[in-house]
Amino acid sequence: MPAKSTLQPVPTVLRPALFDLQVNGFAGVDFQRTDVSAAGMRHACGRLRAHATHRILLTLITDKPDTLAHKLEHYERLRVADPLIAETVVGYHLEGPWLSPHPGFHGAHRPELMCRPDVADFHRLHDAAHGRLRLLTLAPELPGSDELIAAARARGIHVSLGHTDASDGEIDRAIAAGARLCTHLGNGVPADLPRHDNIIQRLLARDELTACFIPDGIHLPPAALRNFFRAKPAGQSILTTDAMAAAGAPPGVYTLAHIETEVGADGIVRERGRRNFAGSALTLERGVAHAAGWLGLGIDQAWALASTAVAKRFDIVLPLIPVFAE
């Protein structure tokens, strides 16, 4: 008779799946490319699920409107052909091309590809996505932004402020037009800012705007994340990753659209030859664990910031999944 195993079952609990609203790539797959294969997307979706993330907004960064439309049409074809991709990619987040082209504020985006908000371009991109644009990030100081925000809200699309140096008055007008979030608050800004009157303080002070934070300890050091989180009203913070192809993959060289990046053992994604960040290698379940520790939250409370708190804004139903009990 074989001996009884002494291994104890690993305790699990059911929690809502994680939902990441800013994913530029994953597991070696760069979503910014125009030739991502069905096999590549299926691999990325499978690896996202291995990290408890079953729903994402596939994020496209600044490019020419024609190229963005081509990418959206391509991903829609992949969604139609594969249920796993369709279930995982529940919509799209356009981060650009309507961002600030000024040094520091444009971040890793190419400023020469940025343009003024144009409602006709927006409608063309909305059609290319088959109505699945769910989130736009823009700089509200650009001429035409109020009209674009209003057009997006009329289609049920959420608008977030990011890569911006908007004044208080410009933020007022964006909120009045329908903007409700801030993209990776604390990032997409120059390293040196005025001590008090700066865009981080202006956005952080707006209770109407839900802040999206990247809890990797790199984009925001733990103390800064703690202070920022405390500054927001209850229910006005969510977690995201800004993940690119290096997330869920080993250190190495990866692309983010036109950018060649290098990721070392420290997990920091940097443009090769430069010091600035270009997305993150964070996986969302790791970000939740960071947030629980750094913010002094229970794991269920931290988990909600990356699952149900996001899903309710986008009217997305999350499956319950087994995860390791803490």
Side-chain angles (χ1 to χ4, degrees), residues 85-173:
I85 298 172
E87 288 177 1
T88 306
V89 179
V90 294
Y92 305 99
H93 173 184
L94 287 185
E95 188 188 6
W98 307 304
L99 308 176
S100 172
H102 296 300
F105 294 101
H106 67 71
H109 297 245
R110 289 174 65 180
E112 70 272 17
L113 295 177
M114 293 176 180
C115 55
R116 292 184 175 186
D118 183 276
V119 173
D121 281 341
F122 159 71
H123 286 307
R124 184 154 63 99
L125 294 172
H126 182 269
D127 290 344
H130 292 180
R132 272 182 271 273
L133 287 184
R134 306 303 297 269
L135 179 62
L136 303 178
T137 293
L138 54 73
E141 65 267 32
L142 298 178
S145 63
D146 293 350
E147 293 82 358
L148 184 56
I149 293 170
R153 291 304 301 136
R155 295 288 189 101
I157 299 167
H158 293 269
V159 177
S160 187
L161 308 184
H163 292 277
T164 172
D165 192 23
S167 66
D168 281 319
E170 289 160 342
I171 295 170
D172 286 340
R173 290 195 294 274

Side-chain angles (χ1 to χ4, degrees), residues 34-267:
T34 58
D35 60 352
V36 176
S37 68
M41 272 306 296
R42 188 171 179 84
H43 169 72
C45 291
R47 294 308 302 158
L48 279 159
R49 291 190 174 208
H51 290 278
T53 303
H54 287 232
R55 302 289 184 268
I56 68 167
L57 296 186
L58 188 151
T59 301
L60 296 176
I61 67 171
T62 297
D63 211 328
K64 295 178 180 178
D66 285 346
T67 306
L68 289 171
H70 172 76
K71 292 176 183 178
L72 290 167
E73 290 165 350
H74 175 66
Y75 283 116
E76 279 300 289
R77 288 191 291 270
L78 295 183
R79 288 184 77 262
V80 168
D82 192 309
L84 174 63
I85 298 172
E87 288 177 1
T88 306
V89 179
V90 294
Y92 305 99
H93 173 184
L94 287 185
E95 188 188 6
W98 307 304
L99 308 176
S100 172
H102 296 300
F105 294 101
H106 67 71
H109 297 245
R110 289 174 65 180
E112 70 272 17
L113 295 177
M114 293 176 180
C115 55
R116 292 184 175 186
D118 183 276
V119 173
D121 281 341
F122 159 71
H123 286 307
R124 184 154 63 99
L125 294 172
H126 182 269
D127 290 344
H130 292 180
R132 272 182 271 273
L133 287 184
R134 306 303 297 269
L135 179 62
L136 303 178
T137 293
L138 54 73
E141 65 267 32
L142 298 178
S145 63
D146 293 350
E147 293 82 358
L148 184 56
I149 293 170
R153 291 304 301 136
R155 295 288 189 101
I157 299 167
H158 293 269
V159 177
S160 187
L161 308 184
H163 292 277
T164 172
D165 192 23
S167 66
D168 281 319
E170 289 160 342
I171 295 170
D172 286 340
R173 290 195 294 274
I175 292 172
R180 290 295 179 268
L181 296 97
C182 301
T183 294
H184 51 48
L185 184 56
N187 299 109
V189 297
D192 296 316
L193 290 170
R195 180 170 53 184
H196 296 135
D197 184 15
N198 63 62
I199 188 60
I200 297 175
Q201 299 293 346
R202 288 178 223 135
L203 292 176
L204 196 62
R206 302 311 297 261
D207 291 352
E208 307 95 324
L209 298 175
T210 297
C212 304
F213 295 125
I214 304 173
D216 60 356
I218 299 164
H219 285 78
L220 292 176
L225 176 62
R226 188 179 307 118
N227 290 336
F228 288 4
F229 182 77
R230 288 171 176 170
K232 297 304 295 181
Q236 288 294 80
S237 298
I238 56 180
L239 303 178
T240 185
T241 63
D242 198 13
M244 48 78 71
V253 175
Y254 298 91
T255 62
L256 176 63
H258 60 284
I259 305 163
E260 190 172 70
T261 69
E262 190 161 17
V263 184
D266 59 5

